[in-house]
Amino acid sequence: NAGVTQTPKFQVLKTGQSMTLQCAQDMNHEYMSWYRQDPGMGLRLIHYSVGAGITDQGEVPNGYNVSRSTTEDFPLRLLSAAPSQTSVYFCASSSSPWANVLTFGAGSRLTVL
Amino acid sequence: AQKVTQAQTEISVVEKEDVTLDCVYETRDTTYYLFWYKQPPSGELVFLIRRNSFDEQNEISGRYSWNFQKSTSSFNFTITASQVVDSAVYFCALSEGSSGGGADGLTFGKGTHLIIQP
């Protein structure tokens, strides 16, 4: 079982560039989410999805876009990258949002110059 | 609003010492879950424990133990006889059920960086 797979692991962007962080899970989990981790800030929720076709905003959604066309995939898009988006991004999934343990991907380190 | 406070930013102890990581939470819900995750230097997030608000029994797993006290809104984590491999960042997190059925995810504390010196 691959679990939650994130790509790429590392990415360097210039301000204004766009990119997509990919997230895929093979556990048939309905719930998927994206967090960002910044030094001294813990993890903060960006966007989440409770199933295919359903997405919603988390605590820090500005500058990010998501879609959920399949149960397996939950990509995170940066339309116009800014230095403030330099962070480590984690995708996570669980069978349902409530009370279940999140399975995290390995993380994607993004640097915006 | 829910909130998780880990007041200890960094703790450094010598191997074999016992160490306790503090976690204080705030919530208006009576139904909620508390979690601890470990983030070793390799960067992945490893689940350690989940506790629901109706179960205040302490839990022990090997050298790890957790003390949940609703009266003080705390969920502290103790490592007994620490080892170098315990060096990591540890996160406490809270999930409430009343708002969106928990869909708005976990609220994480800022983490405690634990350094175990040989």
Side-chain angles (χ1 to χ4, degrees), chain A residues 97-111:
Chain A
W98 169 231
N100 281 286
V101 175
L102 288 175
T103 299
F104 283 89
S108 299
R109 183 175 294 275
L110 175 66
T111 301

Side-chain angles (χ1 to χ4, degrees), chain A residues 57-113:
Chain A
Q57 298 180 352
E59 180 186 354
V60 288
N62 292 341
Y64 307 95
N65 206 355
V66 292
S67 59
R68 184 93 180 271
S69 55
T70 67
T71 298
E72 295 77 20
D73 300 299
F74 190 45
L76 179 72
R77 297 183 184 86
L78 286 72
L79 300 178
S80 179
S84 60
Q85 294 178 302
T86 293
S87 188
V88 180
Y89 292 85
F90 286 95
C91 180
S93 74
S94 67
S95 54
S96 73
W98 169 231
N100 281 286
V101 175
L102 288 175
T103 299
F104 283 89
S108 299
R109 183 175 294 275
L110 175 66
T111 301
V112 182
L113 302 176

Side-chain angles (χ1 to χ4, degrees), chain B residues 38-56:
Chain B
K38 174 182 180 180
Q39 187 175 44
S42 52
E44 74 272 23
L45 286 154
V46 178
F47 165 76
L48 295 178
I49 190 172
R50 176 187 64 189
R51 174 67 71 205
N52 76 57
S53 54
F54 298 109
D55 183 2
E56 284 193 76

